[in-house]
Amino acid sequence: MRYMGIALHLLVGIASVHCLATSTIPAVQLNGVNGKVAMPMVGVGTGTDTNASAEQSVKTAFGVGYRHVDTAFLYGNQLGVGRALKEVGVPRDEYFVTSKIPPLNASDTAQVLDQCLHELGLEYVDLMLIHYDDPGICSSAQRKGQWLALEKWAKEGKARALGVSHYCKAQLEDILSVATVPIAVDQVQYHVGMGTAGPMANNDKSFIQSHGILYQSFSPLCGFCDPADKMESVNGSSVTEIGKAHNKSGVQISLKWLVQQGIPVIPRSGSKEHLESNADIFDFILSDTDMDRITMASKPAVAGGPISQDSGDCPAHTEVIV
Ligand SMILES: *[C@@H]1O[C@H](CO)[C@@H](O)[C@H](O)[C@H]1NC(C)=O
Ligand SMILES: *[C@@H]1O[C@H](CO)[C@@H](O)[C@H](O)[C@H]1NC(C)=O
Ligand SMILES: *[C@@H]1O[C@H](CO)[C@@H](O)[C@H](O)[C@H]1NC(C)=O
Ligand SMILES: *[C@@H]1O[C@H](CO)[C@@H](O)[C@H](O)[C@H]1NC(C)=O
């Protein structure tokens, strides 16, 4: 018993050394269904994960102090995420889960929302998003109907906040015209290289923010960009030089540029080392000069994704918005 006690004490000691950086991840406040909801500024993404790799990366992330995971019905890995959450055993009110459902009609929406909870093994999610706007399916009426179905479900206590992803001004205006609960978040592609991107490329960032909707970044390191372009946010000269002055990597500077603007990030990684360093960005401040220099960067390119939805969603939808 005595030795077990010592061993446990040592384990806790080691764990807390590794958790030092990530235990200090600050939160941002969202406009939830019943008031403010705190979302940790760094979470673990699962965008291209299988059940097994999602399970592993969520377990590793929570082991080093993360308390925020981002998944989606269409990722097909919510069972793996759910298994990890059960295994880590963190109290439910101490972590934040985002899920997303595709564009659907109202009756399918209700069914798929419940399926998400079932797969995750949860009674509620912290944030549920409409995943994207599909020009082939989405009309103004469909959008409004789906949002109201989300509201009904959330009011049953199944989501603490609601939002959208890949939405531009015109789609948001549809929702705003019927919403009785706030649109908490619009999750869109945003990363170094897009600092001077216009409204069409950054999904109407200023419109989003002026309506109290949190602008959240996906692909914060432009995972889908052309590989040569993408390296600019990893070892490009601006982020590397600025990083040297702060004893940080280029990746840490790229992520810091976002969180210092109040934009939460969800970089995907299964590596313990990367998960730790991705969250170890809250013990320094970038100067205005550093921030401006990174804002001026034009790489990775704005429309970096393989499909139009990956960034600059607005042009793809202009013709179908009614
Ligand atoms: C995860 O498991 C579910 C249930 O077995 C399965 O339907 C889904 O395809 C799996 N996901 C992946 C990415 O293999
Ligand atoms: C909703 O869409 C599904 C197809 O995905 C269809 O089978 C169903 O009839 C639709 N329901 C309504 C009420 O339109
Ligand atoms: C950045 O890393 C890539 C891939 O490892 C390498 O090809 C490239 O030369 C590096 N660039 C610089 C500026 O070090
Ligand atoms: C620089 O960062 C590394 C890794 O985080 C750390 O091990 C090292 O002690 C730091 N060096 C200084 C001078 O702070």
Side-chain angles (χ1 to χ4, degrees):
M1 265 330 272
R2 181 181 155 81
Y3 289 106
M4 248 177 92
I6 290 169
L8 266 180
H9 179 77
L10 275 175
L11 271 177
V12 170
I14 290 162
S16 63
V17 168
H18 285 296
C19 284
L20 272 181
T22 47
S23 66
T24 57
I25 297 173
V28 62
Q29 300 294 321
L30 312 179
N31 293 316
V33 177
N34 293 307
K36 297 286 181 186
V37 174
M39 170 197 258
M41 293 292 290
V42 180
V44 56
T46 62
T48 53
D49 277 314
T50 62
N51 290 305
S53 66
E55 180 178 357
Q56 193 51 52
S57 61
V58 173
K59 272 167 65 179
T60 308
F62 275 52
V64 301
Y66 282 60
R67 293 294 180 262
H68 172 182
V69 54
D70 183 282
T71 183
F73 179 74
L74 289 181
Y75 297 168
N77 60 25
Q78 295 191 118
L79 276 177
V81 170
R83 275 201 294 270
L85 294 173
K86 195 168 178 198
E87 284 164 59
V88 297
V90 173
R92 179 63 188 93
D93 61 356
E94 290 177 18
Y95 63 83
F96 190 103
V97 178
T98 300
S99 182
K100 316 180 192 81
I101 65 161
L104 297 166
N105 64 32
S107 54
D108 281 359
T109 294
Q111 195 188 324
V112 171
L113 286 170
D114 279 337
Q115 193 178 332
C116 287
L117 291 185
H118 182 72
E119 289 177 3
L120 289 163
L122 299 177
E123 287 176 5
Y124 66 91
V125 290
D126 298 277
L127 176 64
M128 179 59 77
L129 307 178
I130 297 173
H131 203 151
Y132 55 91
D133 198 72
D134 182 334
I137 300 170
C138 299
S139 63
S140 180
Q142 182 279 337
R143 231 171 258 134
K144 292 174 185 173
Q146 184 170 25
W147 179 264
L148 293 175
L150 248 72
E151 285 197 354
K152 182 166 178 283
W153 184 77
K155 286 174 182 171
E156 291 166 8
K158 294 174 176 177
R160 298 173 70 215
L162 296 176
V164 293
S165 183
H166 297 272
Y167 268 40
C168 296
K169 182 179 172 189
Q171 292 113 348
L172 287 165
E173 280 174 336
D174 274 344
I175 309 286
L176 288 168
S177 73
V178 295
T180 71
V181 306
I183 305 174
V185 167
D186 192 356
Q187 188 186 103
V188 300
Q189 182 170 330
Y190 196 64
H191 49 73
V192 169
M194 295 178 68
T196 56
M200 294 297 267
N202 67 29
N203 293 66
D204 295 307
K205 183 166 180 276
S206 58
F207 176 85
I208 292 168
Q209 293 177 328
S210 73
H211 281 75
I213 301 168
L214 183 82
Y215 189 82
Q216 185 187 10
S217 160
F218 72 74
S219 296
L221 300 168
C222 204
F224 294 111
C225 285
D226 171 74
D229 260 10
K230 176 184 154 178
M231 290 314 290
E232 286 291 318
S233 63
V234 175
N235 65 358
S237 58
S238 324
V239 293
T240 303
E241 282 168 31
I242 293 168
K244 279 202 178 112
H246 296 282
N247 189 31
K248 296 287 176 186
S249 68
V251 165
Q252 288 172 311
I253 300 302
S254 291
L255 296 174
K256 180 71 177 188
W257 176 75
L258 290 163
V259 300
Q260 195 164 311
Q261 298 175 67
I263 299 173
V265 295
I266 41 169
R268 195 195 72 80
S269 177
S271 139
K272 181 165 181 277
E273 185 194 348
H274 288 168
L275 284 163
E276 283 180 327
S277 67
N278 288 346
D280 185 14
I281 54 176
F282 297 102
D283 58 351
F284 70 106
I285 304 275
L286 293 173
S287 68
D288 290 350
T289 313
D290 290 343
M291 287 294 286
D292 289 347
R293 182 172 172 197
I294 306 166
T295 299
M296 295 310 293
S298 57
K299 279 187 181 178
V302 172
I307 53 169
S308 58
Q309 271 93 349
D310 277 334
S311 70
D313 302 273
C314 306
H317 301 305
T318 308
E319 70 279 13
V320 296
I321 291 162
V322 290

